[in-house]
Amino acid sequence: MLFRSWASEVEAPWPDVATVTDHVGVPHLVVTRQALVRQVLADPATYRPDNALDAVTPMPVTALRVLAGHRFRLPPTLANNSGASHPEIRSIVADALHPARVAAQRPWLTALVRDRVTRLAATLDAGAPVDLHTELAADLPLLVLARLVELPDAPVGAVKEFARAALELFWAPLDADRQQALATEVGRFHRVLRDFAATGGGLAAELRAAGHAPDVVVGALFFLLVAGQETTSQFLTLLLHRLAGEPSVRAGLRTGEVAVADVVEEGLRLEPPIVTWRRVAATDSTLGGTVVPAGTSLVLWLARAGRDPAVVEAPDEFRPGQRGSRRHVAFGAGAHRCVGDVLARMEAAVVVAEAAPLLDGVTVVRAPWCPDNLTFRMPDAFVVRSVERAMDQQHDAPRSPEAVPRAY
């Protein structure tokens, strides 16, 4: 369950709090009830974020040596920071992602998505398949982020590969050979971040000016490149796939009876890219009647909390605007709530508004596949094809002699 917690086979009833042992024998307290998830996230003194970026699979010496060779470090900055420096670092990042700055990017992003949708529609009309992950969603959040905060001068593909490698290295069940390969990729890009942190402008310069150490600047950039864009790419793909199977919702979007913002919120509730998050108990406590000793690892099942029947009227149905739809915890809660929530919502709203019509009259050739991972979905593709054009091509194709009816 831990590494495929979005899959249908885990939809059976679960207790509010349950102990689950992972692939290396470590027990975790899995929290499913939304009220309890919020309770943990709202109490960073009792339930600290210190383990948020710990590797799920302990790294062997070979991988650690690779990372050490690249001087790789992830000091407490944002998600894993329970110290006094967190509010100031968060404030600087939040200012870079201020709602007014985000809103200013909307016309540019709308034009970009509209242009891509036009080209993809032409491809579909020609009878060819299109990958809505690769050709539409994958790089959009990174391009927007680059306009909001200066980023290292690296090809988009290299940044995307680094981000996915980091998500796998720290949150997936892995063997030693794979860990070493990923450590090489992550360590190599960490050098790029370190050089940029020392001289770059934008957010890096603001963090330096505030007196933060180089490692902290690198850590903030690392987190932004992973959580600030890769998770939104994942969400855009997952949401488009969900909408492909929701014709009544698409019809409501066309007529205006369904609001784009409501579709985004229902997507965040049912298809969040971040399905779990971790905390560690700093002191002995009790959670939902369960004793939690100090040092216990807690896995907050955000995706399941979004389907809590105590919160949502129809927890398993995609009903934009239904009671409780907006009360999900896809962005977390409390002092460590996602600082980029406004940005992610804006990007998703633009994609839904502009790209939903592409899904009318298509068939899914290849649904998104997600690898085993404790926390992130990481879809790899979403390929669709026009049903009408595919049928036309079948009708127009010359039939083989064996297929021609014989006259007797």
Side-chain angles (χ1 to χ4, degrees):
M1 162 265 150
L2 276 178
F3 297 100
R4 299 200 68 79
S5 62
W6 58 86
S8 59
E9 60 263 25
V10 298
E11 289 307 313
W14 268 70
D16 295 353
V17 180
T19 299
V20 176
T21 301
D22 68 17
H23 63 305
V24 293
V26 176
H28 305 271
L29 211 57
V30 178
V31 184
T32 67
R33 182 68 64 183
Q34 186 175 129
L36 297 179
V37 169
R38 289 186 178 277
Q39 179 182 332
V40 171
L41 293 174
D43 186 359
T46 304
Y47 307 105
R48 295 168 66 96
D50 301 10
N51 65 340
L53 305 186
D54 288 355
V56 171
T57 305
M59 292 196 196
V61 172
T62 51
L64 291 174
R65 283 174 178 165
V66 170
L67 292 175
H70 290 286
R71 291 167 48 200
F72 181 91
R73 288 189 68 241
L74 277 182
T77 51
L78 290 168
N80 62 339
N81 191 354
S82 59
S85 64
H86 175 255
E88 183 183 60
I89 297 171
R90 180 182 171 87
S91 176
I92 293 172
V93 175
D95 186 60
L97 304 179
H98 190 278
R101 300 191 67 196
V102 169
Q105 300 303 317
R106 188 166 190 144
W108 172 84
L109 180 62
T110 299
L112 176 61
V113 173
R114 191 169 293 168
D115 179 67
R116 290 187 179 186
V117 167
T118 299
R119 288 189 284 107
L120 292 172
T123 302
L124 289 169
D125 288 344
V130 298
D131 184 345
L132 295 179
H133 173 71
T134 302
E135 300 175 66
L136 176 62
D139 65 342
L140 286 178
L142 178 58
L143 297 177
V144 177
L145 190 63
R147 292 171 63 91
L148 288 169
V149 299
E150 289 187 35
L151 294 175
D153 185 14
V156 168
V159 177
K160 299 297 290 185
E161 289 174 8
F162 151 73
R164 290 180 72 90
L167 296 185
E168 187 179 353
L169 179 62
F170 290 99
W171 285 278
L174 302 167
D175 60 37
D177 289 342
R178 183 60 178 163
Q179 284 176 299
Q180 185 169 346
L182 291 168
T184 299
E185 187 168 350
V186 171
R188 186 184 302 122
F189 198 84
H190 190 269
R191 284 176 176 259
V192 176
L193 291 180
R194 196 165 60 249
D195 292 343
F196 181 80
T199 60
L203 179 63
E206 291 173 18
L207 288 167
R208 289 197 310 270
H212 293 289
D215 279 348
V216 171
V217 181
V218 173
L221 292 171
F222 181 97
F223 186 77
L224 269 182
L225 287 175
V226 173
Q229 60 87 24
E230 185 60 32
T231 54
T232 307
S233 295
Q234 296 169 22
F235 175 57
L236 297 179
T237 298
L238 295 166
L239 180 56
L240 287 171
H241 178 241
R242 182 71 189 226
L243 281 175
E246 301 286 348
S248 62
V249 173
R250 298 200 311 272
L253 284 168
R254 286 195 302 272
T255 62
E257 295 174 87
V258 173
V260 169
D262 287 342
V263 170
V264 172
E265 295 305 319
E266 191 73 337
L268 287 165
R269 183 182 73 81
L270 281 172
E271 302 290 348
I274 300 177
V275 288
T276 70
W277 204 244
R278 283 177 291 171
R279 287 292 184 266
V280 60
T283 61
D284 294 343
S285 63
T286 301
L287 186 65
T290 298
V291 174
V292 183
T296 299
S297 167
L298 291 91
V299 175
L300 310 179
W301 197 348
L302 307 181
R304 195 168 189 86
R307 296 173 183 248
D308 190 334
V311 178
V312 187
E313 183 177 3
D316 295 319
E317 297 179 25
F318 197 95
R319 292 188 189 176
Q322 70 167 309
R323 177 184 63 80
S325 177
R326 292 173 176 264
R327 292 174 58 194
H328 58 77
V329 283
F331 294 114
H336 288 270
R337 177 182 170 83
C338 177
V339 73
D341 58 339
V342 173
L343 175 59
R345 283 185 165 108
M346 184 275 285
E347 292 167 337
V350 169
V351 168
V352 169
E354 299 296 328
L358 273 180
L359 301 172
D360 294 331
V362 303
T363 184
V364 176
V365 176
R366 188 180 185 285
W369 175 82
C370 303
D372 289 357
N373 197 284
L374 176 66
T375 293
F376 300 95
R377 293 283 296 272
M378 297 176 65
D380 63 337
F382 175 36
V383 183
V384 298
R385 188 171 190 170
S386 167
V387 175
E388 181 179 346
R389 293 299 298 143
M391 293 177 63
D392 288 345
Q393 288 175 347
Q394 284 183 338
H395 182 268
D396 294 341
R399 290 190 287 180
S400 64
E402 293 79 7
V404 177
R406 295 182 180 182
Y408 290 97

